[in-house]
């Protein structure tokens, strides 16, 4: 049967109908282990009772009224997010790209208020910020941009994890107003920068009066073993964007701002019909409560380390495994060769993984994954990598 869905995704040949924790079942009732969490969305796993209960109860009361009126749950959620992050206020959106759009608008208006004509934002090579026109223009991947020119202006690009390059860009372009960066690049290949990278960016932004804007859409909500990844660094940005795991599957995004960035957008400057509606906020409040109640953020550190160590044990002698990188439950296994095929091969073994930047296997397991599931993940993936790289190994030269 021909599909009537626009072919924007190359989909794998499986359809899931229900889940529980780190397990998913397809329409033939076969069970799969989920080590991707719907791309860092279902941090509490599938069908978490707290989220289920919150959205059921809320849907019986009120789904939506618009932002023309007060929304009590939005106030509550903003209180908790600012308290947990140290930021001052929040704009709620429905997705990550929209949260970044809000950040970009803040940066531009911040520039105009300082009489900077063409406010320009420093962005990174291999970054990913979304698929809207402004966010794909900010994204450092020509495949994302190809076919959609003209791009939105006002971005200059520098290599990731390169502080001198940011200094040079600031010296060269007189109209820089902000730096937009992921604390760890997700789509770009699980790229973890130097431990003091964010501290250096913070100092540089302070020195030049720039806004430090962190895209924590993938790294946030406990994923890396802190509520937000920047909390590993003892710094605080001026703007921080969230989405993905904030609603555990219920669409919600957030742009958090602080200090001079918090009052740039005024009435009439920005908006969203759905943004922060009671249903989405009820889910997010349940997520925040559950992270604390089940101590999931601390567990992200321990479980991530357990997975990384387990994989290292098996793979350390495999010359095709270049590096195993991780922070909490954000893991990348880089091979010396393209390995996109591994996604289908893993699926055949009933394991959901992802490959990004061609050579890096990306794991984003739900934070609720249990010990037994972790062992299954390690064993299945390690075997798969051994088989895959063994096949590709050039035969030893025979001497006569
Ligand atoms: C997923 C992602 C986005 C885009 O979020 P959408 O909800 O798909 O718009 C932006 N930035 C980062 C770092 C992401 O991982």
């Amino acid at each position: 049967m021909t599909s009537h869905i626009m072919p924007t995704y190359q989909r794998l040949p499986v359809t899931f109908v229900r889940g529980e924790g780190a397990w998913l079942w397809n329409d033939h009732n076969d069970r799969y282990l989920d080590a991707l969490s719907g791309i860092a969305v279902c941090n509490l796993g599938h069908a978490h009772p707290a989220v289920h209960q919150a959205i059921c109860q809320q849907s019986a009361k009120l789904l939506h009224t618009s932002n023309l009126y007060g929304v009590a749950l939005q106030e509550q959620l903003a209180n908790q997010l600012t308290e947990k992050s140290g930021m001052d206020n929040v704009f709620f959106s429905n997705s990550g790209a929209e949260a970044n759009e809000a950040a970009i608008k803040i940066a531009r208006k911040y520039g105009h208020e300082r009489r900077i004509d063409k406010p320009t934002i420093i962005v990174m090579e291999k970054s990913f910020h979304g698929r809207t026109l402004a966010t794909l223009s900010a994204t450092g991947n020509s495949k994302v941009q190809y076919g959609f020119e003209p791009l939105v202006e006002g971005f200059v690009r520098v290599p990731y994890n390169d502080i001198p390059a940011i200094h040079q860009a600031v010296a060269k372009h007189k109209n820089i107003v902000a730096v937009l960066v992921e604390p760890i690049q997700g789509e770009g290949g699980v790229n973890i920068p130097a431990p003091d990278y964010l501290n250096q960016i913070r100092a540089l932004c302070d020195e030049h009066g720039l806004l430090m804007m962190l895209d924590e859409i993938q790294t946030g909500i406990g994923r890396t073993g802190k509520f937000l990844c920047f909390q590993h660094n003892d710094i605080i940005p001026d703007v921080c964007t969230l989405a993905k795991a904030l609603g555990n599957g219920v669409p919600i995004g957030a742009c958090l701002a602080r200090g001079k960035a918090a009052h740039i957008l005024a009435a009439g400057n920005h908006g969203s019909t759905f943004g922060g509606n009671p249903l989405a906020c009820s889910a997010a409040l349940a997520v925040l409560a559950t992270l604390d109640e089940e101590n999931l953020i601390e567990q992200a550190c321990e479980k991530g380390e357990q997975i990384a160590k387990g994989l290292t044990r098996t793979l350390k002698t495999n010359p095709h495994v270049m590096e195993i990188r991780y922070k909490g439950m954000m893991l990348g296994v880089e091979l010396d060769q393209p390995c996109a095929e591994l996604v289908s091969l893993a699926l055949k073994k009933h394991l959901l993984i992802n490959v990004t930047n061609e050579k890096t296997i990306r794991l984003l397991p739900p934070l609720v994954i249990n010990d037994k599931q972790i062992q299954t993940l390690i064993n299945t993936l390690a075997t798969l990598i051994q088989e895959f790289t063994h096949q590709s190994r050039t035969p030893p030269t025979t001497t006569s």
Side-chain angles (χ1 to χ4, degrees):
M1 206 168 56
T2 53
S3 172
H4 293 281
I5 295 170
M6 242 185 240
T8 57
Y9 282 92
Q10 206 161 17
R11 292 168 197 269
L12 290 157
V14 64
T15 300
F16 297 109
V17 294
R18 84 193 148 86
E20 190 185 322
W23 293 122
L24 281 168
W25 283 267
N26 72 4
D27 45 6
H28 301 293
N29 213 23
D30 303 320
R31 193 175 74 170
Y32 291 73
L33 181 62
D34 185 2
L36 193 59
S37 310
I39 322 178
V41 168
C42 300
N43 283 9
L44 309 188
H46 301 283
H48 195 288
V51 178
H52 165 69
Q53 200 181 35
I55 62 183
C56 280
Q57 286 177 354
Q58 189 55 43
S59 74
K61 279 193 225 161
L62 191 63
L63 289 180
H64 178 88
T65 55
S66 90
N67 287 307
L68 299 177
Y69 314 104
V71 181
L73 292 180
Q74 209 179 102
E75 298 284 350
Q76 270 182 44
L77 180 57
N79 286 347
Q80 293 194 19
L81 285 174
T82 51
E83 210 226 329
K84 283 176 184 293
S85 64
M87 305 296 281
D88 288 339
N89 59 16
V90 188
F91 172 83
F92 287 107
S93 66
N94 312 290
S95 67
E98 283 175 89
N100 283 337
E101 287 276 348
I104 292 165
K105 284 179 72 171
I106 289 173
R108 285 189 167 192
K109 191 149 180 278
Y110 171 80
H112 286 296
E113 286 177 3
R114 279 159 185 71
R115 297 174 194 280
I116 294 171
D117 251 1
K118 286 195 169 174
T120 299
I121 301 169
I122 296 177
V123 291
M124 306 302 152
E125 289 173 6
K126 293 191 183 166
S127 62
F128 183 79
H129 298 296
R131 299 286 194 156
T132 62
L133 280 170
T135 59
L136 76 80
S137 301
T139 291
N141 178 346
S142 53
K143 281 186 201 156
V144 171
Q145 299 173 337
Y146 179 79
F148 303 112
E149 300 85 355
L151 299 180
V152 172
E153 330 170 55
F155 299 102
V156 295
R157 198 170 304 287
V158 300
Y160 191 61
N161 196 21
D162 186 340
I163 293 294
I166 303 179
H167 277 290
Q168 281 160 24
V170 173
K172 187 173 162 196
H173 304 271
K174 292 296 161 220
N175 44 9
I176 303 293
V177 293
V179 178
L180 172 62
V181 59
E182 296 155 89
I184 297 173
Q185 289 186 327
E187 304 304 308
V190 192
N191 301 322
I192 303 177
D196 68 342
Y197 182 54
L198 296 185
N199 305 71
Q200 300 263 10
I201 293 180
R202 179 68 274 175
L204 185 153
C205 286
D206 288 341
E207 186 187 335
H208 297 283
L210 314 179
L211 296 183
M212 178 181 187
M213 309 205 297
L214 292 182
D215 179 341
E216 291 247 17
I217 291 165
Q218 191 159 147
T219 52
I221 325 293
R223 173 58 52 189
T224 70
K226 295 274 186 189
F227 180 62
L228 300 172
C229 192
F230 72 71
Q231 293 170 331
H232 288 287
N233 289 74
D234 241 340
I235 51 127
I236 184 153
D238 302 298
V239 175
C240 172
T241 53
L242 302 175
K244 291 207 162 92
L246 182 54
N248 209 58
V250 177
I252 180 168
C255 177
L256 283 63
R258 184 180 65 93
K260 55 186 187 277
H263 301 285
I264 306 260
L265 295 181
N269 287 155
H270 200 42
S272 167
T273 298
F274 289 137
N277 85 14
L279 184 77
C281 290
S282 71
L285 283 163
V287 167
L288 299 187
T290 305
L291 285 173
D292 287 344
E293 279 160 23
E294 298 186 10
N295 200 23
L296 290 173
I297 299 179
E298 212 176 294
Q299 286 181 41
C301 288
E302 298 159 9
K303 291 174 180 178
E305 190 169 340
Q306 205 183 332
I307 295 168
K309 282 189 172 160
L311 291 172
T312 305
R313 213 173 295 128
T314 320
L315 298 171
K316 64 172 181 270
T317 55
N318 185 327
H320 299 281
V321 176
M322 305 314 288
E323 195 177 28
I324 298 178
R325 301 185 280 273
Y326 72 103
K327 197 158 202 141
M329 289 283 254
M330 187 164 182
L331 301 98
V333 181
E334 186 177 334
L335 303 189
D336 64 350
Q337 55 196 277
C339 60
E341 239 182 293
L342 277 174
V343 173
S344 310
L345 295 172
L347 188 70
K348 289 199 178 111
K349 292 182 187 275
H350 288 202
L351 173 67
L352 307 185
I353 59 165
N354 177 250
V355 168
T356 181
N357 198 28
E358 292 179 356
K359 296 180 186 173
T360 301
I361 301 156
R362 177 173 52 160
L363 304 177
L364 300 161
L367 311 188
V368 298
I369 192 171
N370 65 33
D371 264 351
K372 228 177 132 199
Q373 292 165 331
I374 287 175
Q375 285 317 314
T376 306
L377 165 60
I378 293 168
N379 296 338
T380 311
L381 184 63
T383 307
L384 194 69
I385 293 171
Q386 297 290 54
E387 289 169 2
F388 179 78
T389 53
H390 188 72
Q391 276 170 14
S392 71
R393 201 171 289 170
T394 46
T397 45
T398 46
T399 45
S400 53

